[in-house]
Amino acid sequence: IDFDDSAQKTSESNNTREDYDNLYGHVFALPESHFIARGQLPDLNPYIAANAQVAGGKYMIKAFTDTNRLTHFARKNNLMEKNPAGIEQVSLLSMPT
């Protein structure tokens, strides 16, 4: 499934029920979802964000369909961390859908 295309179609179709059912049907069919992790083991939590331009500024948990999308988002939003060797990385939490 092309999630970008499906999300764009849903957005452009005035958010019809059929398009939402199609989009989220594919999301919930994924074997797992990925989250940017905050904290240290064993107390990891998903990263929670707020953006005044999205959802009225309400807090939301960002879930990703794959780790490449997660890493791209983290890099773009300065959420990468340096490991002890000085290499940028992002901590992630993957959970069964």
PDB file of all heavy atoms in Angstrom, residues 11-25:
ATOM      1  N   SER A  11      -7.478  12.999   2.317  1.00  0.00           N
ATOM      2  CA  SER A  11      -7.504  14.434   2.586  1.00  0.00           C
ATOM      3  C   SER A  11      -8.246  15.206   1.499  1.00  0.00           C
ATOM      4  O   SER A  11      -9.009  16.116   1.783  1.00  0.00           O
ATOM      5  CB  SER A  11      -6.072  14.945   2.707  1.00  0.00           C
ATOM      6  OG  SER A  11      -6.048  16.332   2.881  1.00  0.00           O
ATOM      7  N   GLU A  12      -8.021  14.824   0.256  1.00  0.00           N
ATOM      8  CA  GLU A  12      -8.626  15.543  -0.869  1.00  0.00           C
ATOM      9  C   GLU A  12     -10.084  15.167  -1.125  1.00  0.00           C
ATOM     10  O   GLU A  12     -10.782  15.854  -1.859  1.00  0.00           O
ATOM     11  CB  GLU A  12      -7.811  15.293  -2.139  1.00  0.00           C
ATOM     12  CG  GLU A  12      -6.439  15.941  -2.090  1.00  0.00           C
ATOM     13  CD  GLU A  12      -5.562  15.576  -3.269  1.00  0.00           C
ATOM     14  OE1 GLU A  12      -5.956  14.681  -4.065  1.00  0.00           O
ATOM     15  OE2 GLU A  12      -4.485  16.178  -3.381  1.00  0.00           O
ATOM     16  N   SER A  13     -10.573  14.103  -0.528  1.00  0.00           N
ATOM     17  CA  SER A  13     -11.932  13.633  -0.795  1.00  0.00           C
ATOM     18  C   SER A  13     -12.922  14.123   0.252  1.00  0.00           C
ATOM     19  O   SER A  13     -13.974  13.513   0.429  1.00  0.00           O
ATOM     20  CB  SER A  13     -11.953  12.113  -0.844  1.00  0.00           C
ATOM     21  OG  SER A  13     -11.755  11.602   0.464  1.00  0.00           O
ATOM     22  N   ASN A  14     -12.578  15.188   0.947  1.00  0.00           N
ATOM     23  CA  ASN A  14     -13.438  15.697   2.022  1.00  0.00           C
ATOM     24  C   ASN A  14     -13.628  14.669   3.122  1.00  0.00           C
ATOM     25  O   ASN A  14     -14.664  14.609   3.760  1.00  0.00           O
ATOM     26  CB  ASN A  14     -14.789  16.161   1.479  1.00  0.00           C
ATOM     27  CG  ASN A  14     -14.636  17.341   0.547  1.00  0.00           C
ATOM     28  OD1 ASN A  14     -13.826  18.237   0.810  1.00  0.00           O
ATOM     29  ND2 ASN A  14     -15.380  17.347  -0.533  1.00  0.00           N
ATOM     30  N   ASN A  15     -12.599  13.836   3.318  1.00  0.00           N
ATOM     31  CA  ASN A  15     -12.581  12.887   4.426  1.00  0.00           C
ATOM     32  C   ASN A  15     -13.790  11.962   4.455  1.00  0.00           C
ATOM     33  O   ASN A  15     -14.444  11.810   5.480  1.00  0.00           O
ATOM     34  CB  ASN A  15     -12.465  13.645   5.753  1.00  0.00           C
ATOM     35  CG  ASN A  15     -11.230  14.515   5.795  1.00  0.00           C
ATOM     36  OD1 ASN A  15     -10.154  14.093   5.398  1.00  0.00           O
ATOM     37  ND2 ASN A  15     -11.380  15.741   6.251  1.00  0.00           N
ATOM     38  N   THR A  16     -14.065  11.321   3.327  1.00  0.00           N
ATOM     39  CA  THR A  16     -15.216  10.420   3.286  1.00  0.00           C
ATOM     40  C   THR A  16     -14.951   9.178   4.135  1.00  0.00           C
ATOM     41  O   THR A  16     -13.814   8.752   4.321  1.00  0.00           O
ATOM     42  CB  THR A  16     -15.530   9.957   1.843  1.00  0.00           C
ATOM     43  OG1 THR A  16     -14.455   9.149   1.370  1.00  0.00           O
ATOM     44  CG2 THR A  16     -15.767  11.134   0.919  1.00  0.00           C
ATOM     45  N   ARG A  17     -15.998   8.618   4.634  1.00  0.00           N
ATOM     46  CA  ARG A  17     -15.915   7.421   5.476  1.00  0.00           C
ATOM     47  C   ARG A  17     -15.215   6.281   4.737  1.00  0.00           C
ATOM     48  O   ARG A  17     -14.401   5.568   5.302  1.00  0.00           O
ATOM     49  CB  ARG A  17     -17.333   7.019   5.906  1.00  0.00           C
ATOM     50  CG  ARG A  17     -17.453   5.695   6.596  1.00  0.00           C
ATOM     51  CD  ARG A  17     -16.995   5.804   8.013  1.00  0.00           C
ATOM     52  NE  ARG A  17     -17.024   4.513   8.633  1.00  0.00           N
ATOM     53  CZ  ARG A  17     -17.451   4.291   9.849  1.00  0.00           C
ATOM     54  NH1 ARG A  17     -17.886   5.288  10.574  1.00  0.00           N
ATOM     55  NH2 ARG A  17     -17.430   3.100  10.345  1.00  0.00           N
ATOM     56  N   GLU A  18     -15.530   6.119   3.451  1.00  0.00           N
ATOM     57  CA  GLU A  18     -14.934   5.036   2.657  1.00  0.00           C
ATOM     58  C   GLU A  18     -13.414   5.196   2.571  1.00  0.00           C
ATOM     59  O   GLU A  18     -12.677   4.223   2.717  1.00  0.00           O
ATOM     60  CB  GLU A  18     -15.529   5.035   1.249  1.00  0.00           C
ATOM     61  CG  GLU A  18     -14.978   3.953   0.356  1.00  0.00           C
ATOM     62  CD  GLU A  18     -15.574   4.010  -1.043  1.00  0.00           C
ATOM     63  OE1 GLU A  18     -16.684   4.540  -1.219  1.00  0.00           O
ATOM     64  OE2 GLU A  18     -14.902   3.507  -1.959  1.00  0.00           O
ATOM     65  N   ASP A  19     -12.953   6.422   2.357  1.00  0.00           N
ATOM     66  CA  ASP A  19     -11.512   6.645   2.265  1.00  0.00           C
ATOM     67  C   ASP A  19     -10.825   6.423   3.612  1.00  0.00           C
ATOM     68  O   ASP A  19      -9.731   5.864   3.665  1.00  0.00           O
ATOM     69  CB  ASP A  19     -11.212   8.043   1.736  1.00  0.00           C
ATOM     70  CG  ASP A  19     -11.560   8.187   0.261  1.00  0.00           C
ATOM     71  OD1 ASP A  19     -11.447   7.184  -0.475  1.00  0.00           O
ATOM     72  OD2 ASP A  19     -11.951   9.287  -0.153  1.00  0.00           O
ATOM     73  N   TYR A  20     -11.455   6.872   4.692  1.00  0.00           N
ATOM     74  CA  TYR A  20     -10.888   6.607   6.018  1.00  0.00           C
ATOM     75  C   TYR A  20     -10.850   5.114   6.307  1.00  0.00           C
ATOM     76  O   TYR A  20      -9.862   4.602   6.835  1.00  0.00           O
ATOM     77  CB  TYR A  20     -11.694   7.307   7.123  1.00  0.00           C
ATOM     78  CG  TYR A  20     -11.189   8.679   7.456  1.00  0.00           C
ATOM     79  CD1 TYR A  20     -11.937   9.805   7.156  1.00  0.00           C
ATOM     80  CD2 TYR A  20      -9.954   8.853   8.082  1.00  0.00           C
ATOM     81  CE1 TYR A  20     -11.475  11.069   7.457  1.00  0.00           C
ATOM     82  CE2 TYR A  20      -9.482  10.111   8.401  1.00  0.00           C
ATOM     83  CZ  TYR A  20     -10.248  11.216   8.085  1.00  0.00           C
ATOM     84  OH  TYR A  20      -9.782  12.473   8.396  1.00  0.00           O
ATOM     85  N   ASP A  21     -11.918   4.404   5.981  1.00  0.00           N
ATOM     86  CA  ASP A  21     -11.942   2.953   6.199  1.00  0.00           C
ATOM     87  C   ASP A  21     -10.809   2.272   5.432  1.00  0.00           C
ATOM     88  O   ASP A  21     -10.149   1.374   5.954  1.00  0.00           O
ATOM     89  CB  ASP A  21     -13.284   2.361   5.767  1.00  0.00           C
ATOM     90  CG  ASP A  21     -14.418   2.682   6.727  1.00  0.00           C
ATOM     91  OD1 ASP A  21     -14.137   3.186   7.838  1.00  0.00           O
ATOM     92  OD2 ASP A  21     -15.583   2.443   6.350  1.00  0.00           O
ATOM     93  N   ASN A  22     -10.588   2.711   4.194  1.00  0.00           N
ATOM     94  CA  ASN A  22      -9.524   2.136   3.379  1.00  0.00           C
ATOM     95  C   ASN A  22      -8.157   2.431   3.993  1.00  0.00           C
ATOM     96  O   ASN A  22      -7.341   1.525   4.170  1.00  0.00           O
ATOM     97  CB  ASN A  22      -9.606   2.689   1.953  1.00  0.00           C
ATOM     98  CG  ASN A  22      -8.552   2.096   1.053  1.00  0.00           C
ATOM     99  OD1 ASN A  22      -8.383   0.884   0.997  1.00  0.00           O
ATOM    100  ND2 ASN A  22      -7.833   2.949   0.359  1.00  0.00           N
ATOM    101  N   LEU A  23      -7.907   3.690   4.337  1.00  0.00           N
ATOM    102  CA  LEU A  23      -6.615   4.077   4.893  1.00  0.00           C
ATOM    103  C   LEU A  23      -6.342   3.339   6.205  1.00  0.00           C
ATOM    104  O   LEU A  23      -5.311   2.684   6.365  1.00  0.00           O
ATOM    105  CB  LEU A  23      -6.565   5.590   5.117  1.00  0.00           C
ATOM    106  CG  LEU A  23      -5.319   6.138   5.815  1.00  0.00           C
ATOM    107  CD1 LEU A  23      -4.058   5.848   5.013  1.00  0.00           C
ATOM    108  CD2 LEU A  23      -5.482   7.637   6.057  1.00  0.00           C
ATOM    109  N   TYR A  24      -7.254   3.434   7.147  1.00  0.00           N
ATOM    110  CA  TYR A  24      -7.011   2.826   8.456  1.00  0.00           C
ATOM    111  C   TYR A  24      -7.116   1.311   8.433  1.00  0.00           C
ATOM    112  O   TYR A  24      -6.511   0.639   9.263  1.00  0.00           O
ATOM    113  CB  TYR A  24      -7.915   3.451   9.523  1.00  0.00           C
ATOM    114  CG  TYR A  24      -7.424   4.836   9.859  1.00  0.00           C
ATOM    115  CD1 TYR A  24      -8.079   5.964   9.387  1.00  0.00           C
ATOM    116  CD2 TYR A  24      -6.263   5.004  10.607  1.00  0.00           C
ATOM    117  CE1 TYR A  24      -7.603   7.233   9.674  1.00  0.00           C
ATOM    118  CE2 TYR A  24      -5.778   6.272  10.900  1.00  0.00           C
ATOM    119  CZ  TYR A  24      -6.457   7.379  10.426  1.00  0.00           C
ATOM    120  OH  TYR A  24      -5.974   8.624  10.705  1.00  0.00           O
ATOM    121  N   GLY A  25      -7.845   0.769   7.481  1.00  0.00           N
ATOM    122  CA  GLY A  25      -7.847  -0.681   7.320  1.00  0.00           C
ATOM    123  C   GLY A  25      -6.449  -1.196   7.002  1.00  0.00           C
ATOM    124  O   GLY A  25      -5.997  -2.196   7.561  1.00  0.00           O
TER     125      GLY A  25
END
